[in-house]
Amino acid sequence: MGRSARTRRTALTAALVAVTMTVSLTAGCTRHGPADDAHAPHGTPSPTGPAVPADGSLLAVKIDNVPAARPQTGLDAADVVYAEQVEGGLSRLMAVYATTLPKTVGPVRSARESDLELLRQFDEPTLAFSGAQRKLLPLIHQAPVRAESPDEATDAYYRGTDRAAPHNLYLHPARLLPSAPGKAALTTGFRYGPAPLGGTPESARTVRYPSARFTFTWSAGRGGWLVAMDGTPTVTTDGVRPAPATVVVQYVTIRASHYHDALGNSTPYTETVGSGKAEVLRGGRSFDATWSRPSATDGTAFTAVDGSPMNFATGQVWVVFAEAPS
């Protein structure tokens, strides 16, 4: 599906958002046991067959990121990893897979309203998530995404036995997609190529949320930035340390949405349409940049200080959404 088709959906999705946002909602995630994960199966189903494939669709998976959810599985295979702030100042990840589908990904957790805006830059992406706030679910299922929670694809998910629920829900991507769609599905707007001139030498960079933090440390040997979360080195269940070639700190507006968790905490909404400042880390250097995404159906363009397009290094990209200074 091309940009023209996605543009035709803009009016419908915008109208749905407008209607939904007029209602003050309650219930949702808590810091200890999210109610939205009640939709996920608590047993280990016996797979009976693959889900209906969506040709050309890439896979976006919401991944748990509290300490009880680590180490995660399949994070190193993602093409792009987005880090966002959620309730209580904690963090959650969205891993995007286009060139490789790992055998297993997880732990899978719930979706947020702002995920729908972020995902509209892709053509009919498949969204794997454990559930959502009940009044958000209709909006998810009417958005231009292929929503695949355990309700829709029970055979694609299973509960692990190595940790307690809700931090033990895992996905078999091959049961949602027949194959990885390839690089063409990554309509992020990112450009890859030689680094711009200038920049500042950088050995490590930390981004802080109220109750979480990400640290990226340059490793010349790996040719990437070793990830640590909340002060602990990130290592997957396979023993791999993710080392993205490019890290983007994207300064955005993070505002309160109309959704709340069971304790009354407002769910943050991360605005990814618009423009602002950014920092791009690559090759052991930090580059000042600006970002622009005019509409939800556009990718995000990054521009260097000299006005030229900002190139990323070839390889995995992590984008950390940080709150823009007021």
Side-chain angles (χ1 to χ4, degrees):
M1 180 171 294
R3 294 279 177 184
S4 61
R6 286 194 296 167
T7 302
R8 288 196 295 270
R9 287 189 171 87
T10 302
L12 174 60
T13 303
L16 289 167
V17 171
V19 171
T20 301
M21 291 295 289
T22 62
V23 182
S24 179
L25 303 173
T26 59
C29 279
T30 68
R31 295 181 65 172
H32 303 291
D36 49 41
D37 281 328
H39 299 287
H42 291 276
T44 303
S46 298
T48 57
V52 177
D55 294 338
S57 180
L58 58 69
L59 176 64
V61 185
K62 291 305 300 287
I63 297 181
D64 201 352
N65 197 39
V66 297
R70 302 172 191 150
Q72 291 111 336
T73 301
L75 199 57
D76 56 306
D79 294 282
V80 182
V81 177
Y82 293 99
E84 63 180 349
Q85 187 181 151
V86 293
E87 297 84 0
L90 297 169
S91 65
R92 191 157 291 182
L93 307 176
M94 179 186 287
V96 176
Y97 301 87
T99 59
T100 302
L101 294 181
K103 181 179 179 181
T104 307
V105 177
V108 181
R109 286 300 291 273
S110 56
R112 295 294 182 275
E113 181 190 9
S114 51
D115 296 334
L116 302 182
E117 179 177 279
L118 178 62
L119 286 172
R120 290 189 63 208
Q121 65 191 300
F122 303 115
D123 291 331
E124 295 271 2
T126 295
L127 172 61
F129 63 112
S130 66
Q133 205 277 350
R134 291 183 184 279
K135 292 187 178 180
L136 177 60
L137 285 172
L139 188 62
I140 293 175
H141 289 292
Q142 294 180 66
V145 301
R146 180 173 171 243
E148 295 287 4
S149 73
D151 285 341
E152 290 80 27
T154 302
D155 295 341
Y157 294 87
Y158 71 95
R159 288 280 180 187
T161 59
D162 60 336
R163 62 190 72 174
H167 312 293
N168 64 348
L169 182 68
Y170 293 89
L171 170 73
H172 288 308
R175 296 188 180 275
L176 295 183
L177 299 176
S179 61
K183 290 183 179 180
L186 289 170
T187 52
T188 55
F190 300 166
R191 291 171 57 99
Y192 299 85
L197 298 176
T200 303
E202 190 77 77
S203 59
R205 177 71 167 86
T206 296
V207 181
R208 298 179 185 275
Y209 291 166
S211 301
R213 71 184 188 272
F214 295 87
T215 299
F216 302 93
T217 302
W218 173 247
S219 169
R222 291 287 304 275
W225 301 84
L226 297 174
V227 182
M229 295 186 285
D230 302 331
T232 302
T234 299
V235 180
T236 69
T237 51
D238 292 330
V240 177
R241 286 206 69 184
T246 305
V247 175
V248 179
V249 183
Q250 184 175 338
Y251 292 97
V252 298
T253 297
I254 301 176
R255 58 174 172 81
S257 73
H258 286 228
Y259 296 81
H260 302 79
D261 67 15
L263 299 177
N265 298 314
S266 180
T267 298
Y269 187 100
T270 300
E271 296 185 2
T272 56
V273 172
S275 60
K277 294 183 178 181
E279 300 171 45
V280 177
L281 308 177
R282 58 168 297 178
R285 304 184 75 83
S286 173
F287 298 88
D288 291 334
T290 58
W291 66 271
S292 176
R293 187 183 174 200
S295 72
T297 54
D298 293 317
T300 305
F302 290 87
T303 304
V305 292
D306 64 359
S308 63
M310 172 63 73
N311 291 332
F312 294 174
T314 300
Q316 188 181 69
V317 177
W318 279 54
V319 179
V320 182
F321 294 121
E323 188 165 12
S326 57

